[in-house]
Amino acid sequence: MRDEDIKQVFNGLVSNAFDFLTRSVAEFDTDIKYSIIHFCIAVENILKAELLHKDWSLIFKKPENASWDNLITGNFQSVSLGETINRLCNINKKDITQEAKDCFLDIAKERNKIIHFCNVNISKEEIAIKQFTAWYHIDKLLRLWHGHFNKFLKEKRKFRNIMAKQIEYLKIRYDKIKPTLDKLDKNKVFFATCPSCKYDALVLSVSELHVREERCRVCDVSSRGIVIHCPDCGALTLLTDDHTTTCKCHKRIDSKDLIDIIENKLSYYADIPHGEEVDWLANCTECDGHESAIKLAEDLWFCTECFATFDKASCCEWCNEFYTGEKEDTYMFGCGCGCCEGYAANHMDD
């Protein structure tokens, strides 16, 4: 078996996925049943391709019985969609969010209803939203896995344009909810542009520096981030966890810039004597960011890199670095704080 052989099987899975995606959209108006089935197959193929890239034996239902000859001939029982997701999460828990997992499994549930019970009672509007949301999550994963999916960049861009057709159905939903949105108190909330469907349907509190997770009222995709004033256009915006604003200018703001914005807003430097160390920055124990977590309130620390939140920060007893959370005995037996390995590791040979 050669790497070139694995690449060929991988390319076949992904090519089939984009073929099924294209057919799914083409069938949406004429045969919704096959649109649902083909869309689910496409999602499953992309996720299985990633699993194959990690370890080809893992796409077998029973990896211990994996055979290369059976793989290339297709003579085997492959892993289910649910188990594919579980295995990918076991390899890297951060890649597939719980929301993405739930979305993919929901698509599979609709597919199973169609296959086993011929249940097509669900409306086209609802299916359009489910497919649009699933593609949003797949698109994010393809960007995350861009190294080995890069060969399919052209196909991805083409399908992204095709998928825009579903926005017609999303507009139906937007038109339904707009009267309700218009009645909301604009002194208490503002509307942000959803990164997924691009409608102004994220409803957010006007309170700055609040860490929020809100679900789009149109496409149901949730966006997590922190409310700030955009440094470019000045509008209130949600800076999402991919460091992009939801205002019209969609400015990208990195961790350092965000720290500057928060420090200035909270006037952290106002009463600090020149040269004195600050006590509002800490190292993030979630993403290992150096001084990327900042104190927003007495019991709230926020990482400006990975957007994780913590209820406290502690000082390492060995290296004196601030870190998020709290560990027992960082000096002797607790293996340090993440920036160091504590006393024991530094004196192992003594």
Side-chain angles (χ1 to χ4, degrees), residues 205-222:
S205 166
V206 296
S207 301
E208 277 190 87
L209 303 190
H210 275 211
V211 181
R212 315 290 302 174
E213 182 160 357
E214 295 293 343
R215 192 172 293 277
C216 175
R217 304 291 178 93
V218 171
C219 69
D220 288 333
V221 168
S222 65

Side-chain angles (χ1 to χ4, degrees), residues 183-318:
K183 292 177 183 177
L184 296 177
D185 187 346
K186 305 305 186 296
N187 293 316
K188 295 181 179 179
V189 299
F190 70 98
F191 302 128
T193 304
C194 172
S196 169
C197 67
K198 311 305 179 188
Y199 283 100
D200 293 340
L202 279 175
V203 182
L204 298 154
S205 166
V206 296
S207 301
E208 277 190 87
L209 303 190
H210 275 211
V211 181
R212 315 290 302 174
E213 182 160 357
E214 295 293 343
R215 192 172 293 277
C216 175
R217 304 291 178 93
V218 171
C219 69
D220 288 333
V221 168
S222 65
S223 294
R224 186 171 187 278
I226 184 169
V227 176
I228 62 170
H229 273 98
C230 174
D232 270 16
C233 67
L236 269 175
T237 183
L238 183 73
L239 179 66
T240 60
D241 53 12
D242 65 355
H243 294 269
T244 304
T245 58
T246 57
C247 52
K248 300 305 180 185
C249 63
H250 301 300
K251 181 177 176 59
R252 182 168 179 79
I253 298 174
D254 63 21
S255 174
K256 184 177 180 302
D257 291 334
L258 181 54
I259 285 176
D260 289 342
I261 290 170
I262 296 171
E263 285 178 337
N264 291 332
K265 179 66 181 177
L266 297 180
S267 303
Y268 269 141
Y269 283 105
D271 301 317
I272 302 298
H274 180 70
E276 187 170 315
E277 289 188 6
V278 301
D279 60 358
W280 61 81
L281 295 178
N283 302 320
C284 178
T285 50
E286 182 72 20
C287 69
D288 297 326
H290 178 64
E291 293 191 342
S292 62
I294 188 165
K295 186 177 183 179
L296 292 181
E298 191 59 39
D299 58 353
L300 178 60
W301 289 75
F302 170 72
C303 178
T304 57
E305 190 63 51
C306 69
F307 284 41
T309 55
F310 308 87
D311 59 6
K312 65 173 62 178
S314 309
C315 185
C316 176
E317 296 165 333
W318 175 250

